[in-house]
């Protein structure tokens, strides 16, 4: 039976990670996070404007994570509804739409 043994794979992986420029990925993350924030703000129902104005964007993990989150205390009730109020989703539709664009953008980087 033939056996193939690769030596130095760990060292090769470390070297590749050192040399890899992740700035393009970070740019895609930031761009898509910003676009999702805008879509969520556009989708948010407006009464006083508090909900719309308090949808924030946070970039973390050295630029590899974008978090879009409403800070208004009542945001989950608007998004999901209650037994007295119908849901008015604004965050999930923005996520579903932006997810497709994010995947396309990342695929472009891999080419």
């Amino acid at each position: 039976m033939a056996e193939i043994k690769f030596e130095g794979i760990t060292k090769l992986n470390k070297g590749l990670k050192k040399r890899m420029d992740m700035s393009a990925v970070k740019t895609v993350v930031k761009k898509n996070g910003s676009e999702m924030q805008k879509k969520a703000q556009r989708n948010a129902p407006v009464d006083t404007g508090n909900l719309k104005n308090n949808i924030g964007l946070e970039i973390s993990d050295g630029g590899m994570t974008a978090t879009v989150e409403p800070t208004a205390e009542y945001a989950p009730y608007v998004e999901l509804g209650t037994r007295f109020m119908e849901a008015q989703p604004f965050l999930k539709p923005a996520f579903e739409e932006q997810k497709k664009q994010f995947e396309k953008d990342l695929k472009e980087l891999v080419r």
Side-chain angles (χ1 to χ4, degrees):
M1 181 173 209
E3 185 179 302
I4 299 175
K5 184 176 179 182
F6 293 100
E7 293 181 15
I9 294 295
T10 305
K11 189 175 179 181
L12 176 63
N13 280 334
K14 284 181 184 177
L16 288 173
K17 285 181 183 178
K18 262 187 186 177
R19 289 172 185 82
M20 191 166 47
D21 181 18
M22 297 300 287
S23 64
V25 175
K26 292 175 184 180
T27 301
V28 167
V29 169
K30 186 175 181 179
K31 178 185 139 240
N32 279 274
S34 177
E35 287 298 316
M36 184 179 158
Q37 178 189 29
K38 289 175 190 170
K39 288 175 183 174
Q41 288 173 329
R42 192 172 38 243
N43 293 344
V46 178
D47 182 13
T48 63
N50 185 53
L51 178 61
K52 181 178 182 173
N53 293 330
N54 286 294
I55 298 174
L57 169 65
E58 180 184 335
I59 305 296
S60 57
D61 292 335
M64 298 301 285
T65 301
T67 305
V68 175
E69 183 177 32
T71 57
E73 201 172 285
Y74 56 89
Y77 304 115
V78 175
E79 178 77 18
L80 304 172
T82 68
R83 64 182 178 159
F84 302 111
M85 180 181 91
E86 227 179 280
Q88 299 177 63
F90 59 95
L91 198 56
K92 186 173 182 190
F95 171 76
E96 292 298 331
E97 186 180 340
Q98 196 61 45
K99 178 173 74 169
K100 294 172 189 170
Q101 184 61 48
F102 183 60
E103 289 171 354
K104 284 181 187 176
D105 291 348
L106 286 179
K107 284 180 184 176
E108 286 294 317
L109 289 179
V110 177
R111 288 185 177 182

